[in-house]
Amino acid sequence: MKLIQIKSVIVIALFMLLVSGCSKILEEQPRSIYTPEFFKTEKGVLGGITSQYAHLRFIYGQPYYYNALETGTDEYTYGQSADGNHKDMDLSGVGSLTPTSSRSDVLWGTAFSNINTASGIIENAAAVGISAALIAEARFFRAFDYFMLVQTFGGVPLDLGAGELKFNTTPSRKSVRNTVPEVYTKAIFPDLLQAINDLPATGRVTGGATKTLARLYLSKAYLTYAWWLQNPNNIPTYPQTARTDPDGHDATYYFQQAYNIATQAIDNPGPFGLENTFYDVHIGGNDRNKEMLLYADHTEQSEFYNGAPITGFQSEIGNDGRNAAVWFVTWNYTNIRSAPNPDGTGAGVSSVQREAAQGLGRPYVRMAPPIGVFTNTFAEKTLDSRYDGTFNTVFRGNWPKGGTTNATLYNANDMPVTPGQPILSFLEYESQAIGIVYSAGANFTGKSYSNVGAGRLPGRADFVVAPRGISRLMFPNLWKMGTYRTDNGTGLGQPNAPLTRPFKIAKFSELYFIAAEAAVKGATTVAGKTARDLINVIRARAGKWKFSNKDNAAFVVDNSAAMIAATPATIDVNYILAERSREYFGEGLRWFDLVRTQKWNELAGTYEICGPNAGDHTPLTITRTIELKHYLRPIPQGQIDGMEMTAEEKAAYQNPGY
Amino acid sequence: MKKFSILKVMTQQLNLRSMRLIVPLLFSLLLFSVGAAAQNITVKGKVLTEDGKSIANASVTVKGTTNGTACNDLGEFQISVPGNSTLVISAVDFSTREVKVNNQSSLSITLPALDKALGEVVVVGYGTQRKEAVTGSVASINGDKMREIPAPNISQALQGRIAGVEMSQTSTRPGATMQIRVRGTRSLSADNNPLVVLDGIPFLGSLADINPNDVKSIEILKDASATAIYGSRGANGVILITTDKGAKNRKPRISYNAYVGTQEVFSKYPMMDGPQFVALRAARGQYNNGQDEANDINTDWQDLFYKTGLVTDHNISLSGGTETGSYNFGLGYYLNQGIIPTQQYERYTIRGSLDQQVGKYFRVGFNSNTNYNQSEGNQVGLYNILSMSPISTPFNPDGTTKRIIRMAADDQYVFTKDVVEQLKDNDQWLNETRGFASYNAIYGEVKAPFIDGLKYRVNLGLDYIQSNNGAYTGQGVGNVNASTISAASVDNRYNYHWTIENLLSYDHTFAGKHTVNAVALYSSEQSKFNRSNMSAQDIPADAFEFYNLGRAAGQITIDPANQDYQLWGLQSWMGRVMYSYDNRYMISATVRSDASSRLAEGHKWHTYPAISAGWNITNESFMQGVNFINNLKLRAGYGQTSNQAIAPYATLGLLSTRPYNFGPSTYGTGYYVSQLPNEDLGWEFSKTWNFGLDFSVLKNRLSGTIEYYITKTEDILLGLGLPPTSGVTGYTANIGATQNKGFELSLNGTILNNVNGWTLEAGFNFYTNKNKLVSLASGQTRDEANWWFVGHNINAIYDYKKIGLWSSAKDTADSYLSILEPGGTIGMIRVLYTGNYDPVTHKPVRAIGAADRQIMDVDPDFQGGFNTRVSYKGFDLGIVGIYRHGGILVSTIHGSNGYLNLLTGRRNNINVDYWTPTNTDAKYPNPAGPISNDNPKYASTLSYFDASFMKVRTITLGYDFSRSLIKSSNIKMRMYVTVQNPFVMFSPFHKESGLDPETNSFGNENVASNGFAIPRRVLTVGFNTPSTRNYIVGVNLTF
């Protein structure tokens, strides 16, 4: 009986527990994640601004997007290990650019989310007491994203679902594209003007937005918009609209504005300016120099804040914004072999091993520079330091770093080589290649070395490749963007992890090019800042040498006068474009430059390169089919699929021809 | 006197078995009432089956006392009892009977067999039901049948045993559980796993936490009329697991079950040997030997890596009962040391259950299942071993082991069995997960004193689940770069879960014909989950392993993405009425209302109705004369259920974070809106029709079930990607519909029934499930990004279709290789072209491209399992197998993601029959042909195989010593030998590769690259731990 009572008590107690426990169990309170509500607090808004910077990593350094900015231009074509991503972009009959295959989706998929966050900051900031200077950072990035989008796709929507330039918080499955002039005049120009006004001269944080940065983008936006208004080659725009400015100005006005803003920035540089040499701009360790206005930052010191792994064998992409673009333009130098025996026989030894060094790094061989880069763009390699400061052309023996103990190896012409000596060199001039003998396949008959089908010249211990022998398989590496690390010690380091260097986006030097281009297009210039004057500032700097990558030795010489003397009397657009390529080769600017100036087909319609196999050293001429429609990239299929609209509306949303 | 002697005998035996440690402890839990005997007579008796065979070891007790005995193996017993007493006779698999002694000294008692008499009771959730009266689709398997396959967990033991329940292997590592799909897949991004209920309480843990030896029976509720009692969690089916309980009026009994066995590789991955690899390199002509390679070396890296595995399992239990209560306690130990060095899984389980009547009206009890498990070595992978050049050797000339091998284009770290074991011994490379889980159910029950059949019951479930992972990789381990800094991580997860159920039930038969069973439920449930994770780099001394990350010299990271907190609750009302008229007409109706915290305010409650009916034709008067049909029942049911498997907080939206650095050492965290709130979010609903026919004929020698069902699932929960122009990645919405239709057949027969001592029994099941997507968002018919296509399987593949190779120069010219494949060569893969042809020239108008990709359904046409058992004079031989026909098996090791079929000679390659100028009718392409990324162009198409196979899972030969050696009727002993995975038949994949055709990975696992991303949901054969063939010796002992 006693037990029964106890049980009754337990049952009653359970009832009590039940009644008291259930009133709250249907409520939700997240404790490990943020909900969008947090975005209405001060810390949320400040974090939103950080996110503006962080989003750059998902665009710059993303190798497939990099491919979309370079492959198909006169700077790069597809390489030996290319896949559809690269072949489609080359427009040379080996693939086709479609809404599914275009890799401009990387931009499309990243930019709108950031634009929305920027709009959220601008809307919420005042309520939580954020300063105008901070809001201006958001304004800059909103304009930045719209500028990228409008150059790539034509008109894009200003209304994400909550009204034009409003913060959207409702699931919106419809979209209407604005026209190009609307995007410029409603979004890009007002935001940048406000940003110039409110931003500080010196960045709030390292790499932070400044007045100078906003001026660079405004002048560039004016310049681009002026070209669009002028439309010299009758390239269609979409959504269709008249080439008139809603504010009633014409192309000349905007060329002038571009000139004015750019020269204003040059005259008021703040903490910015040109580095002494081109080499200094790009040498690893000096990435955040005074010439850099904007970059997608990375760090070797914190894997977490780097946002991507810093060690190990990593994939080129992840959901973390990793910088691996340069891998695509790195040829597989690790295939080079030298012989252990003086007669050139024996199991080949890898003499240039994969190293986390600026001229080496991880090879993907997805993209290759056509021969014209070496015979045309960089025809002059002696006075101008930029060829040497752009490419690694000499591959030096590094085998002891990989633990290979041979003191001497035997290389071209069975000649001995020791660590640090050139193993394979890309010759500067065709004239140096007289008498060159290439192996037919990977190797010379009976020899264990080369392994890549390189050539030899009498008396030289290093293998050589002439400029016109550059192929989809072998080409100089892009030194300026190469791997740089401080933790290699005496070994090869971590060449297989994404780069921990910042990815450069905008430089002070570009202001000179913008002003010069505007001047060429008719802007009235001020004294000392004609197009030729401005270009000569850049060329004079290019003449200054500090170090020779080719010789791997200090090389201090000043060719400024000779460089200026070589500048043509009259600067035209083509000259500016060539000069831009010399200055910004492989930095992801080329496609925009060719599209803005409508010179894509003229300058990149054909190219020469040798075939993809070892031993291919006969240039082939390849013709690209660059149609007018290609001046706008297709709207990504994910956008089309994600919209809830009729088939006709969806078809009308897509750019014509795709 | 007799009572004492029984106790004495028992105690003696226990002493004899040296159970001194455990037994006194367990005995102390028991109360023996020793009453005085009245006028006793000696009764001799025999217990028989309905067809006259003796039932060995039946238990005989005197009702109302603990006095009792057991039959010998001839079914005979002798007992001294009062002449007016009643005997209770019970035996496993038979109905319990009560027989009045009436002063007879000799009795012959027949016990009806449970499964044959259909008097069997099945668990149906919130109660039990006579099998005869079940109207929904409920499959049942008892523990002994399930244990015919010695398996570490229930999912493996059940594979192929139940029609409509597909168990798919997702990993071959020690301790892995299988993926369970009841009647197909219905949800796109929400969970498709069934609800598991352990001893009445919803179970949140892993099936690996339940020791199969503790299972008394498993019931699987397949259709909505059966699962509707679980409402918002019923859509994916419900698995009810009932653990062993003691039996009333049974003397204490100890069981010991154990086995030990070895594991060997079922089939090595078919990599090339030295000469084959040399030939491949020559055929491709791209790579020259690396520094550590030489054509005269021939190393089988797998031989240097695998070891013989060990599997062993020990279980001991004590059970028994008195007139008013019963108990069951058990201990278990399982160990599987895998064939991959240092990989192992170990589990300790402890279980207890007690049921006690207190007075006339109250009953209390509990069930408790607790386990501790530890898995190790899961960081050890196979890719390095498989891809290692066979023309290299791990040994230096002086016999030491090399650190790395320099191959043609890659350097790879050397892993051999000795290296891996040494790394572990030196504290340099570890990964272990320790799990602890305790699942407890406590109940109290009170009978209404005045209304017969009315009961109130309260169940309280209290569960705690914990898992701790620690990992450490010493400096340079596994990395080509010897100076790569060390790294350690710790991951802790905790789950607290409680459930309270209040049940009111009423059971009564009116006027002998109207049987009513009614249940009302009110329940609440809540679960809290918490995860914390940290990692650190540069641990100064290996000995720290992962035990003190604070000692790290490098960075310590607490990544917010790896921390988690989830709290969810569920409140429910449920009512069910089951009514049967004269055992002929049955109807069951259910209503459940669930409220879930996961849904937005105002949308939390939903009500689920279900109804089913049955007609027991055999009990109709017109069937009286039809003797060959013993049972014939028609069933039909309809119900609605839903799927709660969506993460908490999904309706609230999400602010995602992005870490960033401003300069090398100034850091910040960015926020952006990635998921929008959806205040209208609801469940996805599955509506199921089910039709069934149960039959039993030829004196119950052949019985079976046929079922047909249609499940339509609507308002599918989908993490919907919004168009990027909305500014937000996506939100969770109810979009789209799927359908599953299927047919199931189960047959059980006794082919020989003790013919000259031979008995032959066989079971067979067969089922189909046609799965298709009915609609996606708003008229969309294709979602190429996710590989979802209306009208096709949820598990469809979207890829080019290989139709052969471009085989000869003439063929390539006639078939326009140059147009279809610019730059293509003879011997390359030829895929289907779906474009147009020029009407004049009849040439294709374009090159092959993305438009030529095809949608290919992966699901099989039909599948099932079979089992057969032959017994003769104490010997028994059992075979259990599974089969599958049709569908696509995705072998990523043959395709582009595995990087094991590059066909370039860069790394070792699967030994495939590739095209050469002298071998032109090969299946695999010309190594010298075009390459895309690092693989032959269209290499992904090489992954697809016909998925058909038949597999014998176990063959067991046992012998029952109770028949001969052991004379005591109290001791039962059976020993057996088993071989698992002895062979595979009818599998094109196995025929080609020698590999096990069962999947071993999720689509994104055990691949070297996700370049051609197979969705995770598609199960694949990747380079996971190889399947094993096991040889096991076991014993079952009861006394």
Side-chain angles (χ1 to χ4, degrees), chain A residues 258-489:
Chain A
Y259 181 85
N260 294 351
I261 299 286
T263 50
Q264 203 179 24
I266 293 167
D267 294 340
N268 301 282
F272 302 104
L274 296 182
E275 287 283 295
N276 285 334
T277 65
F278 187 80
Y279 176 84
D280 282 329
V281 180
H282 296 289
I283 179 69
N286 191 36
D287 292 308
R288 301 175 191 88
N289 58 60
K290 67 173 178 181
E291 196 162 327
M292 295 312 309
L293 298 182
L294 186 66
Y295 42 86
D297 213 342
H298 284 277
T299 177
E300 189 183 316
Q301 295 179 19
S302 166
E303 180 161 285
F304 178 69
Y305 289 101
N306 180 51
I310 57 179
T311 60
F313 199 86
Q314 306 294 343
S315 164
E316 75 278 12
I317 45 166
N319 293 321
D320 45 18
R322 49 188 69 176
N323 177 7
V326 77
W327 296 352
F328 275 15
V329 295
T330 303
W331 82 285
N332 200 351
Y333 59 89
T334 67
N335 282 339
I336 301 171
R337 291 288 177 276
S338 302
N341 302 328
D343 61 355
T345 61
V349 176
S350 176
S351 43
V352 190
Q353 301 187 4
R354 188 181 295 198
E355 182 180 349
Q358 199 166 339
L360 301 174
R362 184 168 173 186
Y364 262 56
V365 212
R366 299 290 198 266
M367 292 153 63
I371 288 167
V373 169
F374 306 94
T375 57
N376 187 19
T377 308
F378 289 100
E380 208 295 300
K381 303 181 179 76
T382 313
L383 298 174
D384 194 334
S385 68
R386 290 178 294 189
Y387 175 71
D388 187 75
T390 297
F391 297 106
N392 176 33
T393 56
V394 178
F395 292 79
R396 295 171 182 277
N398 64 356
W399 63 90
K401 292 181 186 173
T404 308
T405 51
N406 304 45
T408 305
L409 292 174
Y410 298 88
N411 208 48
N413 300 310
D414 296 343
M415 290 168 70
V417 285
T418 52
Q421 287 190 341
I423 303 296
L424 185 144
S425 304
F426 290 91
L427 301 174
E428 291 176 308
Y429 302 105
E430 203 61 29
S431 57
Q432 296 167 336
I434 293 162
I436 192 168
V437 177
Y438 289 112
S439 68
N443 277 333
F444 290 98
T445 314
K447 304 292 183 188
S448 65
Y449 49 56
S450 180
N451 206 18
V452 290
R456 65 184 176 208
L457 280 172
R460 282 186 76 143
D462 56 339
F463 292 104
V464 290
V465 179
R468 293 188 60 75
I470 284 172
S471 69
R472 298 196 193 274
L473 179 74
M474 336 174 46
F475 43 84
N477 282 350
L478 190 61
W479 175 85
K480 55 155 65 162
M481 296 198 352
T483 305
Y484 173 78
R485 297 184 65 111
T486 61
D487 59 352
N488 285 13

Side-chain angles (χ1 to χ4, degrees), chain A residues 3-4 7-8 11 14-15 17-18 21-23 25-36 38-39 43-44 47-48 50-51 53-58 80-84 87 93 100 108-110 112-114 116-117 157 159-160 167-175 205-206 288 295-299 301-307 310-313 332 334-335 337 347-350 353-354 366 402-404 442-443 448 451 492-494 638-639 641-644 653, chain B residues 284-291 293 358-359 362 364 404 406-411 456 458 460 479 481 483-485 498 500 502 522-526 537 555 557-560 563-565 567-571 595-599 601 604-605 648-673 675-677 720-728 731 735 777-778 780 782-784 822 853 899 906-907 931-934:
Chain A
L3 264 175
I4 294 171
K7 297 302 159 193
S8 309
V11 168
L14 288 177
F15 253 132
L17 181 65
L18 168 82
C22 65
S23 56
I25 68 168
L26 297 180
E27 290 173 16
E28 282 201 311
Q29 173 62 58
R31 297 188 193 280
S32 68
I33 54 166
Y34 295 109
T35 65
F38 184 70
F39 201 49
K43 285 188 174 154
T50 302
S51 176
Y53 292 90
H55 101 289
L56 294 172
R57 282 180 182 164
F58 293 81
Q80 179 248 3
S81 301
D83 57 36
K87 292 182 175 173
T100 317
W108 186 274
T110 308
F112 286 104
S113 153
N114 195 62
N116 199 40
T117 306
D159 178 358
L160 306 187
F167 181 43
N168 179 36
T169 55
T170 54
S172 171
R173 307 198 66 202
K174 292 193 188 325
S175 179
V205 287
T206 306
R288 301 175 191 88
Y295 42 86
D297 213 342
H298 284 277
T299 177
Q301 295 179 19
S302 166
E303 180 161 285
F304 178 69
Y305 289 101
N306 180 51
I310 57 179
T311 60
F313 199 86
N332 200 351
T334 67
N335 282 339
R337 291 288 177 276
V349 176
S350 176
Q353 301 187 4
R354 188 181 295 198
R366 299 290 198 266
T404 308
N443 277 333
S448 65
N451 206 18
L492 296 168
Q494 300 281 350
Q639 172 69 25
D641 285 347
M643 291 191 299
E644 203 168 26
Y653 197 89
Chain B
R284 171 71 189 168
Q286 184 175 351
Y287 293 103
N288 289 0
N289 286 352
Q291 247 175 290
E293 293 179 314
V358 183
F362 288 93
V364 292
I404 57 169
R406 295 151 197 281
M407 309 195 300
D410 309 277
D411 297 349
Y456 166 75
V458 58
L460 172 64
N479 200 305
N481 183 339
S483 62
T484 303
I485 52 175
W498 61 260
I500 292 181
N502 295 273
Y522 174 70
S523 76
S524 298
E525 184 177 349
Q526 197 172 37
Q537 290 180 326
Q555 195 168 27
T557 305
I558 301 177
D559 185 342
Q563 325 296 318
D564 200 3
Y565 165 90
L567 179 69
W568 59 261
L570 189 70
Q571 250 179 61
S596 168
S597 63
R598 302 179 200 220
L599 294 181
E601 215 60 56
K604 290 186 189 294
W605 284 94
Y649 319 122
T651 59
L652 301 178
L654 180 68
L655 200 63
S656 289
T657 59
R658 282 175 177 151
Y660 193 67
N661 61 292
F662 297 100
S665 53
T666 308
Y667 308 130
T669 298
Y671 308 115
Y672 67 101
V673 178
Q675 298 281 327
L676 288 174
L720 183 71
L722 288 170
T725 51
S726 69
V728 187
Y731 76 129
I735 273 167
S778 64
Q780 189 185 346
R782 304 164 73 84
D783 180 342
E784 291 185 8
R853 286 174 296 169
Y899 267 53
R906 176 173 162 187
R907 303 173 190 163
I931 295 281
S932 172
N933 277 336
D934 294 322

Side-chain angles (χ1 to χ4, degrees), chain A residues 185-240:
Chain A
T185 58
K186 290 185 174 181
I188 298 170
F189 299 155
D191 270 345
L192 287 173
L193 285 165
Q194 186 74 43
I196 291 170
N197 192 55
D198 294 346
L199 281 171
T202 303
R204 173 182 62 91
V205 287
T206 306
T210 54
K211 280 190 199 300
T212 310
L213 175 67
R215 284 190 177 118
L216 172 73
Y217 274 87
L218 182 62
S219 60
K220 200 169 173 182
Y222 282 148
L223 179 71
T224 311
Y225 183 51
W227 275 103
W228 183 87
L229 287 170
Q230 197 177 54
N231 193 23
N233 291 341
N234 264 325
I235 288 166
T237 185
Y238 199 79
Q240 283 165 0

